[in-house]
Amino acid sequence: MNGYTEVEDLKPRRSLSRSSSPFRSTSPFSRPSSPFALDDVTQRVRQQNLITRYNDMFAQDRLDAMDTLRRYSDDHENNQRILYTAVQDAFTSAKLAFTSFKMKVRSTLAVSHVGPETLEEAVQDYINRNVDLYDLPGLVSDVIRSLNRNPKIVLPPEVSYTVIQPFIREACKLAWNMSALAHPMDVVIGVDAELFSDNRYRRSYDSEYSAPLVNHHIWPCLMQGVRVIMKGEACTRRGASLTPRRSRSPTRSTSPLRSYSP
């Protein structure tokens, strides 16, 4: 992220995402004394909306992006890997950018902070009121660069990952807002050929249900600390290995919506 000066002018030099957000709260009566309280209204409402959006991304945005990728590549498994990796990279980029942003807010507020709330509460309160103050184009560019460097996914030489930029953009927005929660949510980094976990994933419709290892991941598991908020999805097959296997299935995934843990 770019440098910041003072709290009143904490603005990245590049264009910002300033669209109206359902995750912003400006009412002084919408939260208890501490923004870290488990029953904090701001935290609960934002978390609920973000979980719903994460599910919507799996159910609709992902399928739309799969349709887009199918125009350029008929390798179904590779296309699934691309979208899974894009979500992972979006969270990685957003977490790094948010950490830098939070450190700058903390150092700025520390100069004049006197209470009665703690410095960390003041920092989180500022973040809650300025949740959309971030460099979205920069995050999208970071993800596209990361996809270009990943040896496990591929597109035809004449095709750029910008063809799924709308999907990447939504993933980055979601990842930033989840990182900005008082109690952040994050995705699990999956590894090919890992032992399948019923606690974290559902098997895809084309899985071999007796296979114990993950061939490839389709959607990341969402967690808050050690608690699983929403299961991801993975494909299990016998003989799964770290080497991606080419798959050419034109079938659109019809995996059902997943419920989340309350």
Side-chain angles (χ1 to χ4, degrees), residues 104-262:
K104 294 179 188 301
V105 172
R106 183 187 293 114
S107 62
T108 302
L109 293 182
V111 175
S112 57
H113 178 71
V114 292
E117 73 271 303
T118 66
L119 176 59
E120 289 305 310
E121 288 175 334
V123 170
Q124 186 61 45
D125 187 61
Y126 179 87
I127 292 170
N128 288 347
R129 290 183 286 106
N130 297 275
V131 70
D132 57 355
L133 187 62
Y134 63 105
D135 181 8
L136 181 57
L139 293 180
V140 172
S141 296
D142 288 343
V143 172
I144 292 176
R145 282 194 294 269
S146 181
L147 293 175
N148 284 326
R149 294 192 299 264
N150 194 311
K152 289 189 176 182
I153 54 178
V154 64
L155 279 179
E158 69 278 6
V159 181
S160 166
Y161 287 109
T162 56
V163 296
I164 57 168
Q165 184 166 314
F167 177 84
I168 295 173
R169 181 182 178 87
E170 291 303 310
C172 288
K173 288 167 63 177
L174 187 61
W176 174 272
N177 279 284
M178 286 187 170
S179 299
L181 289 170
H183 303 285
M185 292 186 285
D186 196 5
V187 297
V188 176
I189 303 299
V191 180
D192 288 350
E194 70 180 356
L195 188 65
F196 177 79
S197 170
D198 281 312
N199 294 327
R200 293 185 174 184
Y201 298 99
R202 297 180 188 275
R203 296 179 195 263
S204 61
Y205 72 98
D206 56 345
S207 290
E208 296 177 7
Y209 280 75
S210 61
L213 301 181
V214 173
N215 182 72
H216 67 282
H217 296 80
I218 297 171
W219 196 249
C221 170
L222 182 65
M223 299 190 71
Q224 188 174 56
V226 297
R227 184 166 69 104
V228 174
I229 299 297
M230 183 178 293
K231 286 186 177 183
E233 185 170 302
C235 177
T236 57
R237 290 184 187 142
R238 296 185 188 87
S241 68
L242 293 175
T243 303
R245 183 170 62 184
R246 308 296 282 180
S247 170
R248 299 187 177 278
S249 170
T251 305
R252 178 166 172 147
S253 174
T254 55
S255 302
L257 296 178
R258 282 86 42 80
S259 60
Y260 60 89
S261 303

Side-chain angles (χ1 to χ4, degrees), residues 1-2 11-16 134-135 137-139 141-142:
M1 295 287 284
N2 294 310
K11 299 178 180 179
R13 295 171 185 170
R14 284 184 283 184
S15 59
L16 303 175
Y134 63 105
D135 181 8
L139 293 180
S141 296
D142 288 343

